[in-house]
Structure formats: structure tokens, C-alpha cells
Amino acid sequence: MPLIKIVDAFKKCKTYCRRHDLRTSFHPDQFILLSSPKPEVTFRSIADLRYQAEVAEWVGADVINIHAGGAYGNKKEALTRLARQIRSLPQNVRRRLTLENDDVSYTVNDLLPVCQNLAVPLVYDVHHHRCNPDELTVEEATLRVMKTWQALGREPYFHIS
């Protein structure tokens, strides 16, 4: 199928979603690693996010949700790399980007400072929180995460894995 037909099909999805008041989002795979210490991994991750943002535009998706990636033996340094890479992302990626707590490496409390400092909403996954808890209760985590969305005037997203 020629690319133009594929793009047109995606754009029809956007029209359909708007007509039926549906919200779409993307959750790229686990290979998006903005916190990686390897520049080639980060480069490929950013290239993939650029593509995701282009397709998100075609379908009208307002969220591209990723996990923070690995801690690579030093969570603080990994979060610093993550923040640096987020700052460098193109605007069409940045305005859709969200972070999500995960079940292994990063808790809500780990990600809240990054999200607050960079104006990136946090997608709260309650199952991940139960697998990888911090000192926040489900209620406290929910309220703090909602503030990352409210600060930007956006409707929150939540996950239950």
C-alpha cells in the first residue's frame, strides 16, 4: 500500500475519533530508553519518538507514554540523563510526552520531580505501584499525579496493567 494511502487511513481515524469523542494515545515499547548511558540507544529512541509523534499527529493522539527506562546502576544519574534528553526533544514529541511509573525501576516518587520540573504529565499505573511501591498510598499517588496534568490544563491518563 502506498504511503499516502496509509497516511490517509490514519487521518480518517482522527476524524472518526473526533466525531465520536474518543481519545487516543500511544505507548511505545520498552526499547525507548531516554535514560540510557549509550548514545546510540538514545539516538534510536529519539528517532522512534519522532516517528511516533508524526503518526500521533495523523490520528490525533495527545499522549505518547513511555517508561523512564533502566537505572543502569545509578538511578540519580539515569534520571539526569532522562531529563536532559526530554529537554532536547522536538516540540511535537514534548507536547505529547508522558512518563509512567514502572514495576521494577521507577516509582511515582522517583518520577514526580522530573515531571514537575519539566512540565511532563505522569501516567499513574496502580498495578506497577503495587509491584514497585514507594511510601505513597494509592490515594496520595493519584492526587500527586493528577496535579502534573492539572498544571498543564490536561485531562489525566491512568493505567491499570
Side-chain angles (χ1 to χ4, degrees), residues 76-157:
K76 183 178 178 183
E77 286 181 12
L79 287 171
T80 298
R81 284 191 300 273
L82 174 69
R84 183 175 57 246
Q85 294 305 328
I86 289 173
R87 283 187 194 95
S88 73
L89 291 171
Q91 194 56 35
N92 66 335
V93 176
R94 278 285 307 261
R95 75 173 174 262
R96 291 179 172 90
L97 189 71
T98 63
L99 293 177
E100 178 184 346
N101 60 303
D102 66 73
D103 58 337
V104 176
S105 300
Y106 294 100
T107 66
V108 170
N109 250 352
D110 292 331
L111 296 176
L112 275 171
V114 174
C115 290
Q116 292 163 339
N117 290 337
L118 298 175
V120 172
L122 183 56
V123 172
Y124 176 49
D125 188 311
V126 69
H127 177 69
H128 289 166
H129 188 207
R130 289 179 178 141
C131 293
N132 185 19
D134 52 27
E135 63 276 2
L136 298 175
T137 65
V138 170
E139 293 79 12
E140 291 169 330
T142 300
L143 291 173
R144 290 185 186 184
V145 164
M146 284 183 62
K147 288 180 183 178
T148 67
W149 292 87
Q150 292 166 342
L152 300 169
R154 295 180 63 190
E155 182 180 357
Y157 251 61

Side-chain angles (χ1 to χ4, degrees), residues 60-74:
D62 68 323
V63 169
I64 299 174
N65 182 59
I66 64 171
H67 292 280
Y72 306 100
N74 188 324

Side-chain angles (χ1 to χ4, degrees), residues 20-32:
H20 296 282
D21 197 27
L22 299 172
R23 187 177 184 197
T24 55
S25 67
F26 289 6
H27 194 339
D29 63 34
Q30 70 273 17
F31 302 111
I32 303 295

